[in-house]
Amino acid sequence: MDLSFEEFQRRADGLRARIAAACATAGRAPDEVELLAVTKTHPVIAAEYAARYGLKGVGENRVQEGVEKRAQTTVALRWELIGHLQTNKARLAARHFDRVQSVDSEKLLRHLARAAAEAGRTLPVLLQVNAGNDPAKFGVDLADAPRLLEVALAQPALRVDGFMTIAPLGRDDTETAALATQTFANLRELRDSLATQTGRPLRELSMGMTGDLEAAVAAGSTLVRVGTALYGVRPQPPSR
Ligand SMILES: *Cc1c(COP(=O)(O)O)cnc(C)c1O
């Protein structure tokens, strides 16, 4: 990663301005939306820049990569897992991450709950919902989310903070924007109705990335997960 802290700072300032503008348009206070730096594929200095700038958390999409980076630094940060999690890595994730955003099945949820209990901790989680009905995306279907939430709320070793989603890509920018708006509205509606039903706040709505954070903030996002706009385009994995 060839990026100076000054350049990072300039980009982060730009993002905070984008978030503030989106909040103003939506009649929300800018401090209702947290910026989570997505450091996946980047060296540990990416996380250190985020901490030095004053961000509170970073997102990683692979368990092993996140665990290794975390061990390389002493900066105070919340490390969040935002990528798909297989049950065989649930123990490691439950021990080393401050929150898991990608809980998308009952089986995974039970593995995480057991691992958290064994580790003697309460693990904060978000339920990942495929709110855009995208066959290419992980996440529990909208229709199955109430049941997953019910099971999650019954686990004393888990603390359910809210929900996460990723919007589908359309064939062009116009379609992508429309899908994002719909997806985020779906998740917001789901949250509002489940919060009412369960009497829990389910406050966190993790939605919005570099390309669609304005639509997410308009729909009530509390946490935007941004990689590209902070660190540049990620190297593509080798094609097979
Ligand atoms: C990579 C990733 C992001 C960041 O995406 P950018 O477009 O680079 O901002 C956000 N959320 C998840 C789940 C990701 O995997």
Side-chain angles (χ1 to χ4, degrees):
M1 192 184 71
D2 190 17
L3 178 69
S4 67
F5 179 69
E6 289 63 36
E7 175 61 16
F8 176 86
Q9 199 167 26
R10 209 182 54 75
R11 293 178 184 180
D13 285 347
L15 270 162
R16 293 220 318 218
R18 268 178 77 183
I19 293 168
C23 283
T25 303
R28 304 180 61 198
D31 63 2
E32 289 175 32
V33 183
E34 181 184 344
L35 174 58
L36 185 81
V38 175
T39 47
K40 66 186 186 196
T41 78
H42 300 299
V44 68
I45 193 168
E48 290 172 338
Y49 280 1
R52 184 169 158 199
Y53 182 80
L55 301 184
K56 302 274 187 280
V58 292
E60 286 283 336
N61 72 333
R62 289 165 175 274
V63 176
Q64 197 65 41
E65 184 183 334
V67 170
E68 280 167 19
K69 271 181 224 173
R70 184 171 204 168
Q72 286 166 28
T73 183
T74 56
V75 288
L77 277 173
R78 230 174 48 237
W79 292 77
E80 302 212 26
L81 184 67
I82 61 174
H84 182 63
L85 177 58
Q86 290 169 325
T87 50
N88 62 359
K89 304 223 174 83
R91 273 189 95 224
L92 197 60
R95 281 168 193 268
H96 293 280
F97 283 88
D98 298 301
R99 186 158 63 184
V100 175
Q101 296 200 8
S102 44
V103 178
D104 61 359
S105 74
E106 225 176 285
K107 186 174 166 208
L108 174 61
L109 198 142
R110 292 186 192 282
H111 274 79
L112 284 170
R114 197 176 319 132
E118 274 169 24
R121 65 180 301 217
T122 303
L123 178 68
V125 297
L126 304 182
L127 304 185
Q128 182 176 353
V129 181
N130 189 1
N133 298 307
D134 181 352
K137 292 275 188 303
F138 290 108
V140 64
D141 286 347
L142 280 162
D144 299 329
R147 165 72 187 157
L148 189 62
L149 176 65
E150 190 186 322
V151 178
L153 290 176
Q155 311 295 325
L158 301 182
R159 187 189 80 200
V160 188
D161 290 344
F163 300 94
M164 184 268 257
T165 197
I166 307 170
L169 277 182
R171 280 161 301 189
D172 54 37
D173 290 355
T174 311
E175 195 187 42
T176 296
L179 286 168
T181 298
Q182 186 59 55
T183 300
F184 300 149
N186 288 346
L187 193 66
R188 166 68 185 268
E189 255 178 58
L190 177 80
R191 191 282 304 274
D192 288 356
S193 93
L194 290 177
T196 304
Q197 268 174 48
T198 61
R200 310 282 182 119
L202 306 172
R203 191 193 152 271
E204 204 84 274
L205 281 177
S206 173
M207 51 191 201
M209 326 199 301
T210 294
D212 57 16
L213 71 86
E214 281 81 5
V217 169
S221 173
T222 58
L223 189 65
V224 293
R225 311 175 306 266
V226 176
T228 306
L230 283 173
Y231 300 110
V233 177
R234 286 176 293 275
Q236 292 299 309
S239 57
R240 277 165 293 171

